[in-house]
């Protein structure tokens, strides 16, 4: 009798080949990946066409994990685990660059597909990793590297594969969005809201990578590479963080109907001669309050895409955290495992377009310039003349009286970074200009 | 000399096998698909690994299209075009159900992959089509069937394949969202705003499929099938349109901090005994003004997903129109063509979970009940007693004085449809209740 019921039970779950998985790292993400792999084993088995089998978890200190994992699954030598014959897919969730790079390359070279959540690694070494995956005929997946479970990579690699992307504007760092949103809401200073973010666990003890924009720059590099079929590395991305944003900047933006967001902007720039180049940049940006990105609050992420045929699309969600990152890793793992069972490969790196990178000085943007000037007749004419001379035309000018000085806020039409730099330098030399306080770029 | 340059030019573009494409239909979507295939031929060739070659376009009246298409590409016999040996992929953008069903089945049975934008067809016959695709070992793609270029299908099939979806709440019909949004903004009646939608081209001459919710129901069926790995057909979806929504309903919602949206809701319902079932329904729904879905304006679409690990995600964009639909069709076409060149198959139908459909009477929801009662002491007690007797507990009650009668607005806690029906029937029999004007369900 028991034989019959066993046969029935077994025939319910696909009898395809077992897919061996190694997880490198057992921190917040790695432990969630392992837990969910176990909890959803049957569902994944159906979705893949065969069961996932965890071969081991590589950790630097096995003793630390001996209570959550059986001893035979714990490996202190990641290379030994990767090299096992029964490992088909390696999941890298360690972080850092050099060490995981060595491991991922070893895995790819040994014919294992790789799923990684490591944006810094992908943004620095996509070319080398892609070449290794291509040579071995295996998959390299990295959905979790950009905005966790918001499926930005899948959308760019697959869903929009039949379209031409013009621009991506993303809020892809939760820490800085939390700080800017809190400054906007409370009128408090950057330092106070950074302290608040740290207290609430939204900022790390050393927040440099977030607040200086490096984390967002890695994601910008990955998005630009996918969107424009061109190799863009983190070091190619112009990057400016939020540490200089003041409460006064936020207030001035508010008064003009804007909010300040740290945007990762990836853009196709078409020259007058019809030649395309790619600009990837991260900087504080004024966003109109009625733009969908303006209402992305707290630590949420959102990616706004403009494409030729699809028009304007936005993707919104949790862009970080153990669970959302694990969701993205597991989605990739199911995809990579399906390919191991059924054959076929995910779209690989695509860099055929190989567009030149735009010279940042030539990128056209609109600017918001905030300055203090002497309160006397003729100042505005002087300022306007300097702008005109440098090819910057003004869209609106607002003047506020302040004791003996006046505050002048200029919003410009589109101009190049070069013209702007020249303008600001020249404005600062005018006798009647006391200080040029802030220059912030504007979206669209 | 010319030989050299030809060789160089050719070596730039992948020399993989040509993938033959047949397009069935040359309306708004079909003609955009054809135009963009041509305009982006080189890019697609790189992304696929070989060129797409248009073998023909099937139209009912070839003469009508003889100015836009060369004669040799025009076919009045779709079956003849499908049957051609050099056709690998068939794109169906005709609309309707029975005729395209015959064509799509013929294509699949002949071993051609199919890309369709036809939600009514997929929602009615997914099982039969999936079986045919499976038997022939080919792909069936239908991203454009749900919300055009918003990649809902890809997200459910792939990106969230490692997660467990709990609920989807979608604004998936632009016509009804335009009408409701315009009613909300202007305070005008349904009839006036339907007329406005028709005038502006947002509503068709016969708007039935949109305003009665049938179009949204097809999309709900497709989303529920993908999300819960269960076969759900359009006819399984509870469906209620927006034709009975009055200016007074909109105003009452506004006063309570809500807006009314036509939502397609796909939900996993867990019984007290821990058993899952699937509910798919379309009805006007009160959405809190601070919910991301509330700010989806005009004819835009948005799909809000709640998943176990990913948390809350939202996808937003143009859900209809020739261009966005063509973008989705072409994304699928590039995917299907890649598989023809490189081998491999897209994830097929996945119905392993095979969950039962929830009995609509048992689905728990919160309700907004708007009624007129006699303005005298004791009415509220009577009404509350009827609710309590039927197991409905009240969250808030608001009473407005109106000449001789009073208006009573109840917001309930969660209760089943059955309890609600019983309550409303009994309330209507009370002497002091003059009319039960509206019952609207609430999101979350």
């Amino acid at each position: 009798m028991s034989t019959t019921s066993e046969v029935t039970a077994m025939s319910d779950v696909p009898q395809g080949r077992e897919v061996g998985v190694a997880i490198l790292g057992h921190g917040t993400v790695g432990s969630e990946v392992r837990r969910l792999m176990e909890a959803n084993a049957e569902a994944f088995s159906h979705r893949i066409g065969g069961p996932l089998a965890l071969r081991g978890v590589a950790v630097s200190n096995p003793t630390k994990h001996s209570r959550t994992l059986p001893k035979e699954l714990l490996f202190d030598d990641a290379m030994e685990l990767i090299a096992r014959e029964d490992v088909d897919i390696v999941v890298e969730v360690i972080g850092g660059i050099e060490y995981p790079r060595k491991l991922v390359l070893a895995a790819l070279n040994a014919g294992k597909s790789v799923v990684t959540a490591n944006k810094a690694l992908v943004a620095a070494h996509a070319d080398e990793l892609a070449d290794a995956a291509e040579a071995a005929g295996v998959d390299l997946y990295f959905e979790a590297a950009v905005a966790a479970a918001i499926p930005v990579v899948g959308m760019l690699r697959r869903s929009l594969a039949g379209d031409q992307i013009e621009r991506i504007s993303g809020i892809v760092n939760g820490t800085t969005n939390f700080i800017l949103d809190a400054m906007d809401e409370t009128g408090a200073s950057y330092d106070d809201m950074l302290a608040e973010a740290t207290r609430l666990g939204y900022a790390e003890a050393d927040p440099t990578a977030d607040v200086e924009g490096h984390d967002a720059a890695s994601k910008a590099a990955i998005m630009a590479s996918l969107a424009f079929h061109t190799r863009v590395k983190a070091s190619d991305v112009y990057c400016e963080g939020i540490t200089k944003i003041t409460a006064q900047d936020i207030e001035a933006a508010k008064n003009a109907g804007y909010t300040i967001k740290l945007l990762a902007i990836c853009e196709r720039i078409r020259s007058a001669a019809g030649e395309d180049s790619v600009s990837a940049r991260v900087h504080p940006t004024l966003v109109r309050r009625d733009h969908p990105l303006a209402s992305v609050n707290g630590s949420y992420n959102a990616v706004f895409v403009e494409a030729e045929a699809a028009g304007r699309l936005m993707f919104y969600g949790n862009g970080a955290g153990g669970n959302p990152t694990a969701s993205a890793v597991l989605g990739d793992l199911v995809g990579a495992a399906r390919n191991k069972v059924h054959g076929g490969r995910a779209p690989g790196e695509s860099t055929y377009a190989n567009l030149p990178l735009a010279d940042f000085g030539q990128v056209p943007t609109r600017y918001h310039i905030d300055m203090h000037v002497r309160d006397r007749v003729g100042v505005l004419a002087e300022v306007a003349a300097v702008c005109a001379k440098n090819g910057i035309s003004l869209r609106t000018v607002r003047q506020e009286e302040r004791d003996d000085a006046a505050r002048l806020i200029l919003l410009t039409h589109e101009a190049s970074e070069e013209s702007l730099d020249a303008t600001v330098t020249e404005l600062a030399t005018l006798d009647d200009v006391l200080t040029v306080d802030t220059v912030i770029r504007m979206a669209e």
Side-chain angles (χ1 to χ4, degrees), chain A residues 325-360:
Chain A
T325 308
S327 171
V329 166
L330 289 164
D332 281 354
L333 180 55
V334 168
R338 282 193 77 253
N339 290 346
K340 291 284 180 192
V341 172
H342 299 287
R345 280 182 63 204
E349 192 192 33
S350 167
T351 56
Y352 68 86
N354 195 19
L355 296 175
L357 293 173
D359 174 358
F360 187 66

Side-chain angles (χ1 to χ4, degrees), chain A residues 186-260:
Chain A
T186 63
S189 72
Y190 166 76
D191 286 333
D192 286 351
M193 293 303 97
L194 169 60
E196 177 74 358
T198 311
R199 198 178 62 79
L200 294 172
Y202 289 119
E204 293 183 43
D206 176 0
T208 314
D210 293 318
V211 299
E212 294 295 356
H214 306 147
D215 172 83
S218 289
K219 294 164 184 168
I222 298 173
M223 294 193 291
S225 300
L226 295 167
F228 303 119
H229 302 274
T230 291
R231 278 182 178 167
V232 181
K233 297 191 167 203
S235 52
D236 299 323
V237 178
Y238 172 84
C239 178
E240 203 181 302
I242 65 164
T243 55
K244 287 176 198 150
I245 301 291
T246 65
Q248 196 193 24
D249 294 337
I250 301 267
E251 203 212 324
K254 223 175 196 170
N255 292 338
Y258 293 87
T259 181
I260 301 180

Side-chain angles (χ1 to χ4, degrees), chain A residues 35-114:
Chain A
R35 188 184 69 77
L36 290 166
M37 248 179 83
E38 214 172 279
N40 299 321
E42 201 185 314
F44 289 173
S45 202
H46 284 287
R47 296 177 196 175
I48 291 163
L52 291 177
L54 181 63
R55 305 299 187 201
V57 180
V59 293
S60 52
N61 180 357
T63 327
K64 204 178 124 195
H65 302 275
S66 58
R67 262 187 306 186
T68 42
L69 279 173
K71 206 175 155 216
E72 65 274 18
L73 286 179
L74 281 166
F75 287 73
D76 59 355
D77 183 347
M79 283 293 189
E80 182 199 330
L81 174 59
I82 291 170
R84 275 178 61 144
E85 283 231 344
D86 60 357
V87 166
D88 301 293
I89 302 176
V90 172
V91 174
E92 187 273 306
V93 282
I94 302 178
I97 297 191
E98 275 316 308
Y99 180 54
R101 169 175 167 241
K102 217 175 67 178
L103 300 179
V104 167
L105 281 174
L108 294 169
N109 290 335
K112 327 277 173 162
S113 287
V114 168

